[in-house]
Amino acid sequence: MTYQILPYFLLLISILVGWKSTIRNSLIILAIAIISGLFLGRLEPFSLIGITILGLSIWIATKQNQNKYLIMLSYAIFISIALLHFLHLMPGFYNLPIYQAERLSETAIPFTMYLNFDKVLVGLFIYLFFLKTMQSNHFDSKNFKTTLIVLGGLLVFMIPLAILIQYIKWDVKLPEKGWIWFLNNLFFVCLAEEALFRGLIQKGLMNLLPKKQTYWKYASLMIASILFGLAHYRGGFSYIALATVAGIFYGYSYYKTDRIESPILVHFGLNLVHFVFFTYPALA
């Protein structure tokens, strides 16, 4: 598996470069990651069609002085193709399995985890073309403090609730391959999900009306949270409900900071506490 992880390592580098450097440099690393994925059989040539449409559609949609109908069409195309990638329905991707129906503890249900190329592309493109140029402020100490406060409130509310409905219980562990889970969850899972639900959906809905319409900001937060919850339908009703509640906290941290790093860190903080200290992913 060692050499098979190379495309995902390069994809991670592309994300980090995109965060700290230019869009151009990030896309160059991404192209190398795609080439390595094709060479190692993690991607098929057909995947290039979806990747190209995904990138071009959001690039066109976010260009200034563009025809509004072309912008609307481009966003519609991007969202349609993005959902196919997000739900792993776009052919041409062979995501790398890390955990395959493994029990991380005796009382847990089997856990399966893949390193995903398709889903991460959605988050990366949203960040590079939609969020990177729109975030005017910096993620400073004030934003970090807000993030910690929201995370603390989420843990105080969510953990007892999950225990009460018997979704988890206390179970301290450091599973094998935990470091891969750490990197995957932070840079692939949380980034992709927050870029889509908070960055594109919540932020996009907020931009539809003037900023003075405060009620619409909260409405867009709730819409994004409900959609986020419904996206976890495979986990059943309890999981949908818990994800919706968590999504409200993620959305609130984004609303308060206007930085996508905040919901990413709140999301990851909850997942990390869950992974290390409680039954993961859920009680059998």
Side-chain angles (χ1 to χ4, degrees), residues 247-266:
I248 294 173
F249 283 84
Y250 305 155
Y252 182 73
S253 71
Y254 187 50
Y255 168 72
K256 293 297 290 184
T257 64
D258 197 33
R259 294 292 306 188
I260 197 63
E261 293 91 340
S262 185
I264 289 174
L265 291 175
V266 175

Side-chain angles (χ1 to χ4, degrees), residues 103-118:
R103 291 185 184 271
L104 301 185
S105 56
E106 292 182 0
T107 58
I109 62 175
F111 175 53
T112 297
M113 186 187 87
Y114 289 83
L115 293 181
N116 297 314
F117 207 108
D118 43 6

Side-chain angles (χ1 to χ4, degrees), residues 128-143:
L128 291 178
F129 295 111
F130 187 74
L131 295 175
K132 188 175 176 68
T133 57
M134 289 181 59
Q135 299 184 128
S136 56
N137 61 324
H138 297 284
F139 189 71
D140 53 20
S141 58
K142 181 181 178 181
N143 290 332

